[in-house]
Amino acid sequence: MKFQSQKIAYWFFASAMLLLVLQIVYGFIMGFARIGMDGLHEWIPFNTARAVHTNLLVVWLLLGFMGSAYFIIPEESDRELMWPKLAWVQLISFLIVGVVAVIGYHLNYWEGRKFLEIPRALDYLVVVNVLAFIANIGFTIWNGKRYTTTSIVLFFGLFTAALLYLPGMIDFDNQTLDSFYRWWVVHLWVEGVWELIMGALLCYLLIKLTGVDREVVEKWLYVIVGFTFLSGILGTGHHYYYIGAPKYWLMIGGIFSALEPLAFLGMAIYALAMAKKGGRRHPNKTALNWTLGSAIMSFVGAGFLGFAHTLPQVNMYTHGTLVTAMHGHMAFWGAYAMINLAMIAYALPILTGRKLWDNAASSYGFWLSNIGMVGMTGALAVAGITQVNLERRMGLDFLAVQTEIEIHFVGMILAACLFFLGICFYLYNFWRFGLPTDEAASSDVRAAEELPTVS
Amino acid sequence: MLTKLQAKVFFLGGTAVFFGIFLVLSFDTHLKVPNQTNAANITPAVAAGKRIWEENNCMGCHTLFGEGAYYAPELTKTVEIRGKDWLKVFLKDPEAMFPGQRKMVKYNFTEEQIDNTIAFLDWCGKVDLNGFPAKPPLRDKMMAAAPQMAVSSGPAPLKKPVPAVFTTGTCIGCHQIQGQGGAAGALIGAPPLDDVFRRYDRAKLEAWIKDPPSIKKDTKMPKLYGLAVNDAQLNEIVDYLLSLNPETAAATPSAVAPPAAPAPAVQPK
Ligand code: HEM
Ligand code: HEM
Ligand SMILES: [Fe+2]
């Protein structure tokens, strides 16, 4: 750690990990409800569990992104953070808003729009909060000693993510328009600007972990995020096929969203190529595993499994079935959960000055959680395909089909246990690092992290 | 070889071009949606229904236009499938309709709230969704393969007007009677009622309607007695069903066949 103000990142990461655990707890509540064990229905009905599960996911990922930005931006700009105290205020207020929202979901206080359930009053607080964050890193970059592509792309991603939150706050009496603009947030986030954030974090990690020359790594970053927007913006059309929007979206959404996997494929090839070029000389093997893992799993989950149901002819039958949930899990995991876990694995030794980078617990954490997630996705895939065939193609009743596929949720829960065990190992390691220290700035961990550049 | 500057221009240029196209198309969509969705029919009741839909996060279990959660049925066409009367009764106490099944929250809506919710769903069902939800492409093939399962084996039904009580009592949403209704029933196994007099006598019919699970434990038929059917209506229903017997319109026929409780019209396996 070079700058004292980077320490704040630790607290963002720690909060993110706490929310990850809670997210998983609510995932289990839903999994059990699906096999008939819905004893909590009176207090936590399915819609509450679901809103908590998906919102905590988004919130912990955002906390991870913010923590990563607070870690990376000072280093890239070569100066202390502009307002370290503001970062603290921002963290605490963000958590308070999150906690209030989650409590509200248990009291039927919400907006009932998928992924944007946060009630309107709290939306405004989120906006103020994010403005503070953007200002803090923005001015740090502005007043910094150097401007790097990595920090510019990261900032651009975070800034546009904040901007795109706004269309989700427009009110309509028309359900179609409501949905139309809701996707400006949800789709343009995960298949647009968040990919910029992911790309920037990937780029930063590759520079640090492989030692390949910055110019080379950053050049390809532009190419990849170029592909992201080229396909992803018009790819929004894959959500407009069947919601009451004009028919031309079938053509436009179909073609452009079918190109979206290219950006993820690009990311996977890019990461593997850089790792090969630079060799694996960095001592933090765990961070490199998570980095490469994220590039690969995001291609599988978002690229491959997204493509599987993105053509309008297929989507007609899979739209709104468990096939979507199958894709949602692996895509979020591979692209955004794993890149955050990579960032955390990379940053912890530097923040705390401890050399715990490579050990048994960290390997178990990586492998068990990934194998578990593959199993969960597989179980959802079997359930989803069966549902599509029985309900959408043969016309059987919804609940009759749900009874038929219940058994796959037993499988999913088993895989989820494996997944959770992996996460526990990861967290155990997190805990063993202890708290960030002032001495970390001068510790020899930093020296060990410095690699000679490969060009 | 590609330089960093060229890569940067590719990124910025591509983004600007495609975002521009996206804005133009979105503008066009915004202009066309009112027509495609019959926005003129968004009455205050429909708008109020949408707010109820949101305030209770119905999307947290159901899908609408294929968007939402996958725990409970897709509702776009629910008014068409179930009928308004059925939905009215259902929304008062969802669990009473499907005992022992996956649970839905009981919201204690007022009559007006229920009407608004149904108005909203009715409007949704009429939006032009480019063909969604598709008619199940394999259903006809399966029906052709198993005709005896889908069609009642009774004698040619006697044409007799169906009394209103079958609509207010919501029976006709699931059961076919005299060739009418039955949209929702074919899927959960509710049989046509034209020849039910062959299987049930008066006492058994009454007992069944009063409490279906007491006769067949895992039946999907809701207990409507007390919700949508009172004693007088129960009498009217039973009278009518027995009157369909061509031989003894007045006498009480004895139960000849064992109680053929509803079985799924098409076995999933
Ligand atoms: C990291 C990137 C991605 C993430 C996190 C992600 C996540 C999700 C989630 C959570 C949904 C459910 C949304 C909802 O119904 O509200 C969804 C839907 C969808 N995704 Fe992705 N996705 C990603 C990338 C992709 C890509 C690259 C493609 C196409 C190649 C794709 C194709 C689709 C399609 C077609 C749907 C709609 C499913 C339906 O009709 O029900 N996704 N995605
Ligand atoms: C123990 C682990 C987990 C379990 C048991 C679990 C279970 C579930 C269930 C049952 C649903 C609801 C599907 C429905 O509507 O019927 C769901 C939704 C979702 N979960 Fe998980 N989950 C787990 C972990 C995760 C993780 C780690 C992520 C992300 C990295 C995640 C992301 C999502 C998303 C994005 C959705 C919404 C999907 C959609 O709308 O298509 N879950 N989860
Ligand atoms: Fe999308």
Side-chain angles (χ1 to χ4, degrees), chain A residues 34 178-179 181 248 393, chain B residues 28 30 50 67 70 138 187:
Chain A
R34 279 190 157 280
D178 194 307
S179 188
Y181 290 101
Y248 52 69
R393 293 170 65 82
Chain B
D28 182 70
H30 198 111
K50 178 172 180 282
E67 295 181 345
Y70 321 119
L138 299 181
L187 303 177

Side-chain angles (χ1 to χ4, degrees), chain A residues 214-237:
Chain A
R214 178 182 282 274
E215 286 302 301
V216 180
V217 184
E218 289 184 339
K219 175 175 86 184
W220 290 108
L221 174 65
Y222 272 132
V223 176
I224 286 167
V225 294
F227 269 109
T228 297
F229 279 162
L230 193 148
S231 57
I233 296 176
L234 291 177
T236 315

Side-chain angles (χ1 to χ4, degrees), chain A residues 114-115 182-183 186 190-191 195 238-239 257-258 260-261 264 302-303 306-307 309-310 315 318-321 324 327-328 331-332 335-336, chain B residues 66-68 70:
Chain A
K114 188 174 179 188
F115 287 110
R182 191 173 60 86
W183 289 114
V186 180
V190 300
E191 289 158 72
E195 277 184 59
H238 65 185
H239 302 289
S257 69
E260 283 179 42
F264 286 99
F307 183 80
H309 60 153
T310 203
N315 194 258
T318 58
H319 182 44
T321 64
T324 310
H327 154 72
F332 261 113
Y336 304 123
Chain B
E67 295 181 345
Y70 321 119

